[in-house]
Each structure stands twice: as structure tokens, then as C-alpha cells.
Amino acid sequence: MTTMSKLQSFLLRWFLLFSLTHLFGPSRGDVGTASQYSPPYLPTACYGSNVGKLPTDNFFASASEGIWNNEASCGRQYLVRCLSAITPGTCTGRTIQLKIVDRSSTSVSRPSYEGTTMALSESAFAAIANISATEINIEFQQV
Ligand SMILES: *[C@@H]1O[C@H](CO)[C@@H](O)[C@H](O)[C@H]1NC(C)=O
């Protein structure tokens, strides 16, 4: 084998490994945006005034029309993490699991920013980003 073909074979192996990891490795979810919304959280489009349907850790969100899915999104769990924001250092780097309990277009309390993929409760937003941000870029994946 010449030096060149050894190098080519080495690169090919790494390329294949890289491709396989990306094709069959852990799913990386979708990229979207998130705003936050404040109390009052009830009544919700999913559960009315049933406070028992809100997760006890208060990690929940309202869904935009894009993921609302004709109410089918109610109760869905998502893993969510902040990717970036206009202000550097906004993201905490933490990944949280949250539950969809409301619809952004009809929530009693309005999202801090219009048109985001989801509006997070204050607790959920604070866990993944600096609470002074109104809009952040997120990675989200249904559990
Ligand atoms: C959050 O953002 C505000 C405004 O940009 C900044 O003053 C504050 O120091 C930040 N807090 C943290 C914990 O980074």
C-alpha cells in the first residue's frame, strides 16, 4: 500500500464512522424558537382550570399553531434546550423536559414574543435561559 492509499483508507473509515454516528446515533431533535409567559396560567386550552394537570415542577409550555396539531399536542412531553439568543451568555446549557398544556394563540397570559414555536412557563424558561430574554433559539425533541 502506498502512503496515499493508507491515508485515503484512514479518511474513508473516519468518514463512514462519522456518517453512521449521525444517521443512527441519538436523534438531535428540531430547531425552533421559544418565548416565555407568566401567570395566570389557568384556564388552559388543554385542561381548563384543572391545576392538577400542570406538572409539579412547573416545567410546561403553550404550543404554537405549528405544533398544536389540533389539540393532539396536549400532554406531549418535549426535551428542550436553549441553543442561542441575541445576547451572548443567555443559555444555561441545561436540558429540561416539559409538558404542553396550552395553545399560545389563546393562552390567558400572552407570550413575551409572538410567533415562537412554544411559550415556556417562567420556571421552564428560567431553567434553560436568562429570564430577561424575550426570545431564544431552542432545540426540542418529543419524548
Ligand atoms: C441576565 O441578563 C441581564 C440583561 O442582559 C443581565 O444584566 C444579567 O446579568 C443576566 N443574568 C445572568 C445570571 O447572566
Side-chain angles (χ1 to χ4, degrees), residues 35-59:
S35 52
Q36 52 174 305
Y37 73 129
S38 310
Y41 294 121
L42 301 179
T44 66
C46 295
Y47 308 115
S49 294
N50 190 345
V51 70
K53 289 288 190 174
L54 300 185
T56 49
D57 61 9
N58 282 318
F59 288 174

PDB file of all heavy atoms in Angstrom, residues 35-59:
ATOM      1  N   SER A  35     -40.452  31.606  23.572  1.00  0.00           N
ATOM      2  CA  SER A  35     -40.668  32.821  24.352  1.00  0.00           C
ATOM      3  C   SER A  35     -41.047  32.340  25.748  1.00  0.00           C
ATOM      4  O   SER A  35     -40.945  31.159  26.036  1.00  0.00           O
ATOM      5  CB  SER A  35     -41.796  33.645  23.724  1.00  0.00           C
ATOM      6  OG  SER A  35     -42.945  32.843  23.536  1.00  0.00           O
ATOM      7  N   GLN A  36     -41.483  33.242  26.593  1.00  0.00           N
ATOM      8  CA  GLN A  36     -41.951  32.837  27.925  1.00  0.00           C
ATOM      9  C   GLN A  36     -43.284  33.499  28.196  1.00  0.00           C
ATOM     10  O   GLN A  36     -43.634  34.489  27.554  1.00  0.00           O
ATOM     11  CB  GLN A  36     -40.934  33.243  28.990  1.00  0.00           C
ATOM     12  CG  GLN A  36     -40.526  34.707  28.934  1.00  0.00           C
ATOM     13  CD  GLN A  36     -39.633  35.095  30.104  1.00  0.00           C
ATOM     14  OE1 GLN A  36     -39.988  34.909  31.256  1.00  0.00           O
ATOM     15  NE2 GLN A  36     -38.472  35.652  29.793  1.00  0.00           N
ATOM     16  N   TYR A  37     -44.052  32.928  29.087  1.00  0.00           N
ATOM     17  CA  TYR A  37     -45.301  33.560  29.509  1.00  0.00           C
ATOM     18  C   TYR A  37     -45.449  33.421  31.020  1.00  0.00           C
ATOM     19  O   TYR A  37     -44.876  32.519  31.626  1.00  0.00           O
ATOM     20  CB  TYR A  37     -46.506  33.070  28.715  1.00  0.00           C
ATOM     21  CG  TYR A  37     -47.037  31.672  28.972  1.00  0.00           C
ATOM     22  CD1 TYR A  37     -48.393  31.480  29.224  1.00  0.00           C
ATOM     23  CD2 TYR A  37     -46.215  30.551  28.921  1.00  0.00           C
ATOM     24  CE1 TYR A  37     -48.921  30.212  29.424  1.00  0.00           C
ATOM     25  CE2 TYR A  37     -46.740  29.278  29.125  1.00  0.00           C
ATOM     26  CZ  TYR A  37     -48.090  29.118  29.376  1.00  0.00           C
ATOM     27  OH  TYR A  37     -48.607  27.857  29.573  1.00  0.00           O
ATOM     28  N   SER A  38     -46.190  34.376  31.587  1.00  0.00           N
ATOM     29  CA  SER A  38     -46.271  34.493  33.041  1.00  0.00           C
ATOM     30  C   SER A  38     -47.648  34.101  33.556  1.00  0.00           C
ATOM     31  O   SER A  38     -48.592  34.003  32.784  1.00  0.00           O
ATOM     32  CB  SER A  38     -46.008  35.953  33.444  1.00  0.00           C
ATOM     33  OG  SER A  38     -44.838  36.411  32.835  1.00  0.00           O
ATOM     34  N   PRO A  39     -47.799  33.902  34.868  1.00  0.00           N
ATOM     35  CA  PRO A  39     -49.125  33.659  35.434  1.00  0.00           C
ATOM     36  C   PRO A  39     -50.042  34.851  35.132  1.00  0.00           C
ATOM     37  O   PRO A  39     -49.519  35.954  34.983  1.00  0.00           O
ATOM     38  CB  PRO A  39     -48.867  33.543  36.938  1.00  0.00           C
ATOM     39  CG  PRO A  39     -47.399  33.242  37.064  1.00  0.00           C
ATOM     40  CD  PRO A  39     -46.749  33.900  35.899  1.00  0.00           C
ATOM     41  N   PRO A  40     -51.360  34.702  35.053  1.00  0.00           N
ATOM     42  CA  PRO A  40     -52.084  33.451  35.320  1.00  0.00           C
ATOM     43  C   PRO A  40     -51.969  32.447  34.175  1.00  0.00           C
ATOM     44  O   PRO A  40     -52.011  32.834  33.020  1.00  0.00           O
ATOM     45  CB  PRO A  40     -53.529  33.929  35.475  1.00  0.00           C
ATOM     46  CG  PRO A  40     -53.616  35.170  34.624  1.00  0.00           C
ATOM     47  CD  PRO A  40     -52.272  35.819  34.734  1.00  0.00           C
ATOM     48  N   TYR A  41     -51.803  31.174  34.523  1.00  0.00           N
ATOM     49  CA  TYR A  41     -51.686  30.121  33.519  1.00  0.00           C
ATOM     50  C   TYR A  41     -53.027  29.432  33.239  1.00  0.00           C
ATOM     51  O   TYR A  41     -53.160  28.725  32.247  1.00  0.00           O
ATOM     52  CB  TYR A  41     -50.666  29.076  33.978  1.00  0.00           C
ATOM     53  CG  TYR A  41     -49.258  29.607  34.055  1.00  0.00           C
ATOM     54  CD1 TYR A  41     -48.534  29.600  35.251  1.00  0.00           C
ATOM     55  CD2 TYR A  41     -48.629  30.138  32.917  1.00  0.00           C
ATOM     56  CE1 TYR A  41     -47.231  30.079  35.316  1.00  0.00           C
ATOM     57  CE2 TYR A  41     -47.326  30.621  32.983  1.00  0.00           C
ATOM     58  CZ  TYR A  41     -46.645  30.589  34.179  1.00  0.00           C
ATOM     59  OH  TYR A  41     -45.355  31.061  34.232  1.00  0.00           O
ATOM     60  N   LEU A  42     -53.982  29.602  34.172  1.00  0.00           N
ATOM     61  CA  LEU A  42     -55.281  28.941  34.018  1.00  0.00           C
ATOM     62  C   LEU A  42     -56.363  29.938  33.621  1.00  0.00           C
ATOM     63  O   LEU A  42     -56.271  31.099  34.034  1.00  0.00           O
ATOM     64  CB  LEU A  42     -55.678  28.253  35.328  1.00  0.00           C
ATOM     65  CG  LEU A  42     -54.716  27.176  35.863  1.00  0.00           C
ATOM     66  CD1 LEU A  42     -55.232  26.618  37.183  1.00  0.00           C
ATOM     67  CD2 LEU A  42     -54.545  26.048  34.858  1.00  0.00           C
ATOM     68  N   PRO A  43     -57.388  29.532  32.870  1.00  0.00           N
ATOM     69  CA  PRO A  43     -57.574  28.181  32.317  1.00  0.00           C
ATOM     70  C   PRO A  43     -56.711  27.946  31.081  1.00  0.00           C
ATOM     71  O   PRO A  43     -56.345  28.889  30.390  1.00  0.00           O
ATOM     72  CB  PRO A  43     -59.059  28.162  31.970  1.00  0.00           C
ATOM     73  CG  PRO A  43     -59.417  29.586  31.689  1.00  0.00           C
ATOM     74  CD  PRO A  43     -58.542  30.409  32.601  1.00  0.00           C
ATOM     75  N   THR A  44     -56.385  26.692  30.800  1.00  0.00           N
ATOM     76  CA  THR A  44     -55.592  26.337  29.624  1.00  0.00           C
ATOM     77  C   THR A  44     -56.506  25.742  28.546  1.00  0.00           C
ATOM     78  O   THR A  44     -57.590  25.237  28.859  1.00  0.00           O
ATOM     79  CB  THR A  44     -54.527  25.280  29.979  1.00  0.00           C
ATOM     80  OG1 THR A  44     -55.188  24.054  30.351  1.00  0.00           O
ATOM     81  CG2 THR A  44     -53.642  25.735  31.127  1.00  0.00           C
ATOM     82  N   ALA A  45     -56.040  25.793  27.317  1.00  0.00           N
ATOM     83  CA  ALA A  45     -56.814  25.229  26.201  1.00  0.00           C
ATOM     84  C   ALA A  45     -56.898  23.710  26.317  1.00  0.00           C
ATOM     85  O   ALA A  45     -57.831  23.094  25.807  1.00  0.00           O
ATOM     86  CB  ALA A  45     -56.168  25.612  24.875  1.00  0.00           C
ATOM     87  N   CYS A  46     -55.947  23.093  27.004  1.00  0.00           N
ATOM     88  CA  CYS A  46     -55.935  21.632  27.126  1.00  0.00           C
ATOM     89  C   CYS A  46     -56.772  21.132  28.299  1.00  0.00           C
ATOM     90  O   CYS A  46     -57.493  20.148  28.171  1.00  0.00           O
ATOM     91  CB  CYS A  46     -54.500  21.127  27.309  1.00  0.00           C
ATOM     92  SG  CYS A  46     -53.428  21.402  25.888  1.00  0.00           S
ATOM     93  N   TYR A  47     -56.645  21.789  29.456  1.00  0.00           N
ATOM     94  CA  TYR A  47     -57.220  21.240  30.682  1.00  0.00           C
ATOM     95  C   TYR A  47     -58.127  22.193  31.442  1.00  0.00           C
ATOM     96  O   TYR A  47     -58.460  21.916  32.602  1.00  0.00           O
ATOM     97  CB  TYR A  47     -56.089  20.760  31.602  1.00  0.00           C
ATOM     98  CG  TYR A  47     -55.114  19.833  30.917  1.00  0.00           C
ATOM     99  CD1 TYR A  47     -53.778  20.205  30.735  1.00  0.00           C
ATOM    100  CD2 TYR A  47     -55.525  18.598  30.434  1.00  0.00           C
ATOM    101  CE1 TYR A  47     -52.882  19.359  30.088  1.00  0.00           C
ATOM    102  CE2 TYR A  47     -54.639  17.745  29.791  1.00  0.00           C
ATOM    103  CZ  TYR A  47     -53.314  18.134  29.621  1.00  0.00           C
ATOM    104  OH  TYR A  47     -52.445  17.297  28.983  1.00  0.00           O
ATOM    105  N   GLY A  48     -58.522  23.307  30.833  1.00  0.00           N
ATOM    106  CA  GLY A  48     -59.393  24.240  31.529  1.00  0.00           C
ATOM    107  C   GLY A  48     -58.753  24.736  32.812  1.00  0.00           C
ATOM    108  O   GLY A  48     -57.586  25.128  32.809  1.00  0.00           O
ATOM    109  N   SER A  49     -59.488  24.662  33.921  1.00  0.00           N
ATOM    110  CA  SER A  49     -58.972  25.167  35.192  1.00  0.00           C
ATOM    111  C   SER A  49     -58.401  24.065  36.078  1.00  0.00           C
ATOM    112  O   SER A  49     -58.167  24.275  37.272  1.00  0.00           O
ATOM    113  CB  SER A  49     -60.080  25.914  35.939  1.00  0.00           C
ATOM    114  OG  SER A  49     -60.434  27.069  35.213  1.00  0.00           O
ATOM    115  N   ASN A  50     -58.171  22.894  35.516  1.00  0.00           N
ATOM    116  CA  ASN A  50     -57.639  21.768  36.278  1.00  0.00           C
ATOM    117  C   ASN A  50     -56.146  21.948  36.559  1.00  0.00           C
ATOM    118  O   ASN A  50     -55.281  21.584  35.771  1.00  0.00           O
ATOM    119  CB  ASN A  50     -57.873  20.472  35.496  1.00  0.00           C
ATOM    120  CG  ASN A  50     -57.565  19.236  36.324  1.00  0.00           C
ATOM    121  OD1 ASN A  50     -56.924  19.315  37.378  1.00  0.00           O
ATOM    122  ND2 ASN A  50     -58.019  18.094  35.853  1.00  0.00           N
ATOM    123  N   VAL A  51     -55.855  22.515  37.732  1.00  0.00           N
ATOM    124  CA  VAL A  51     -54.468  22.814  38.098  1.00  0.00           C
ATOM    125  C   VAL A  51     -53.659  21.525  38.284  1.00  0.00           C
ATOM    126  O   VAL A  51     -52.436  21.520  38.128  1.00  0.00           O
ATOM    127  CB  VAL A  51     -54.411  23.706  39.369  1.00  0.00           C
ATOM    128  CG1 VAL A  51     -54.853  22.927  40.602  1.00  0.00           C
ATOM    129  CG2 VAL A  51     -53.040  24.310  39.549  1.00  0.00           C
ATOM    130  N   GLY A  52     -54.343  20.418  38.563  1.00  0.00           N
ATOM    131  CA  GLY A  52     -53.676  19.138  38.766  1.00  0.00           C
ATOM    132  C   GLY A  52     -53.005  18.598  37.515  1.00  0.00           C
ATOM    133  O   GLY A  52     -52.184  17.693  37.578  1.00  0.00           O
ATOM    134  N   LYS A  53     -53.354  19.187  36.349  1.00  0.00           N
ATOM    135  CA  LYS A  53     -52.750  18.744  35.090  1.00  0.00           C
ATOM    136  C   LYS A  53     -51.439  19.449  34.787  1.00  0.00           C
ATOM    137  O   LYS A  53     -50.732  19.104  33.840  1.00  0.00           O
ATOM    138  CB  LYS A  53     -53.728  18.979  33.930  1.00  0.00           C
ATOM    139  CG  LYS A  53     -54.922  18.041  33.946  1.00  0.00           C
ATOM    140  CD  LYS A  53     -54.512  16.621  33.569  1.00  0.00           C
ATOM    141  CE  LYS A  53     -55.727  15.736  33.356  1.00  0.00           C
ATOM    142  NZ  LYS A  53     -55.334  14.403  32.857  1.00  0.00           N
ATOM    143  N   LEU A  54     -51.128  20.481  35.589  1.00  0.00           N
ATOM    144  CA  LEU A  54     -49.830  21.151  35.408  1.00  0.00           C
ATOM    145  C   LEU A  54     -48.783  20.325  36.141  1.00  0.00           C
ATOM    146  O   LEU A  54     -49.009  19.901  37.264  1.00  0.00           O
ATOM    147  CB  LEU A  54     -49.861  22.575  35.989  1.00  0.00           C
ATOM    148  CG  LEU A  54     -50.881  23.550  35.404  1.00  0.00           C
ATOM    149  CD1 LEU A  54     -50.684  24.942  36.008  1.00  0.00           C
ATOM    150  CD2 LEU A  54     -50.773  23.632  33.889  1.00  0.00           C
ATOM    151  N   PRO A  55     -47.619  20.081  35.516  1.00  0.00           N
ATOM    152  CA  PRO A  55     -46.590  19.286  36.197  1.00  0.00           C
ATOM    153  C   PRO A  55     -46.132  19.976  37.482  1.00  0.00           C
ATOM    154  O   PRO A  55     -46.066  21.204  37.544  1.00  0.00           O
ATOM    155  CB  PRO A  55     -45.454  19.199  35.177  1.00  0.00           C
ATOM    156  CG  PRO A  55     -45.796  20.104  34.056  1.00  0.00           C
ATOM    157  CD  PRO A  55     -47.224  20.504  34.175  1.00  0.00           C
ATOM    158  N   THR A  56     -45.835  19.194  38.508  1.00  0.00           N
ATOM    159  CA  THR A  56     -45.480  19.766  39.808  1.00  0.00           C
ATOM    160  C   THR A  56     -44.168  20.559  39.770  1.00  0.00           C
ATOM    161  O   THR A  56     -43.976  21.469  40.563  1.00  0.00           O
ATOM    162  CB  THR A  56     -45.363  18.663  40.893  1.00  0.00           C
ATOM    163  OG1 THR A  56     -44.543  17.617  40.363  1.00  0.00           O
ATOM    164  CG2 THR A  56     -46.719  18.110  41.248  1.00  0.00           C
ATOM    165  N   ASP A  57     -43.285  20.247  38.804  1.00  0.00           N
ATOM    166  CA  ASP A  57     -42.034  21.013  38.706  1.00  0.00           C
ATOM    167  C   ASP A  57     -42.239  22.318  37.927  1.00  0.00           C
ATOM    168  O   ASP A  57     -41.310  23.097  37.756  1.00  0.00           O
ATOM    169  CB  ASP A  57     -40.919  20.171  38.071  1.00  0.00           C
ATOM    170  CG  ASP A  57     -41.243  19.708  36.642  1.00  0.00           C
ATOM    171  OD1 ASP A  57     -42.253  20.169  36.060  1.00  0.00           O
ATOM    172  OD2 ASP A  57     -40.471  18.882  36.113  1.00  0.00           O
ATOM    173  N   ASN A  58     -43.477  22.549  37.466  1.00  0.00           N
ATOM    174  CA  ASN A  58     -43.833  23.756  36.708  1.00  0.00           C
ATOM    175  C   ASN A  58     -43.100  23.907  35.378  1.00  0.00           C
ATOM    176  O   ASN A  58     -42.989  25.014  34.850  1.00  0.00           O
ATOM    177  CB  ASN A  58     -43.638  25.025  37.555  1.00  0.00           C
ATOM    178  CG  ASN A  58     -44.783  25.216  38.533  1.00  0.00           C
ATOM    179  OD1 ASN A  58     -45.957  25.011  38.187  1.00  0.00           O
ATOM    180  ND2 ASN A  58     -44.454  25.564  39.768  1.00  0.00           N
ATOM    181  N   PHE A  59     -42.588  22.803  34.840  1.00  0.00           N
ATOM    182  CA  PHE A  59     -41.972  22.833  33.515  1.00  0.00           C
ATOM    183  C   PHE A  59     -43.044  22.500  32.478  1.00  0.00           C
ATOM    184  O   PHE A  59     -43.295  21.328  32.180  1.00  0.00           O
ATOM    185  CB  PHE A  59     -40.808  21.840  33.418  1.00  0.00           C
ATOM    186  CG  PHE A  59     -39.581  22.258  34.185  1.00  0.00           C
ATOM    187  CD1 PHE A  59     -38.498  21.393  34.298  1.00  0.00           C
ATOM    188  CD2 PHE A  59     -39.479  23.512  34.778  1.00  0.00           C
ATOM    189  CE1 PHE A  59     -37.352  21.760  34.998  1.00  0.00           C
ATOM    190  CE2 PHE A  59     -38.347  23.890  35.488  1.00  0.00           C
ATOM    191  CZ  PHE A  59     -37.283  23.015  35.595  1.00  0.00           C
TER     192      PHE A  59
END
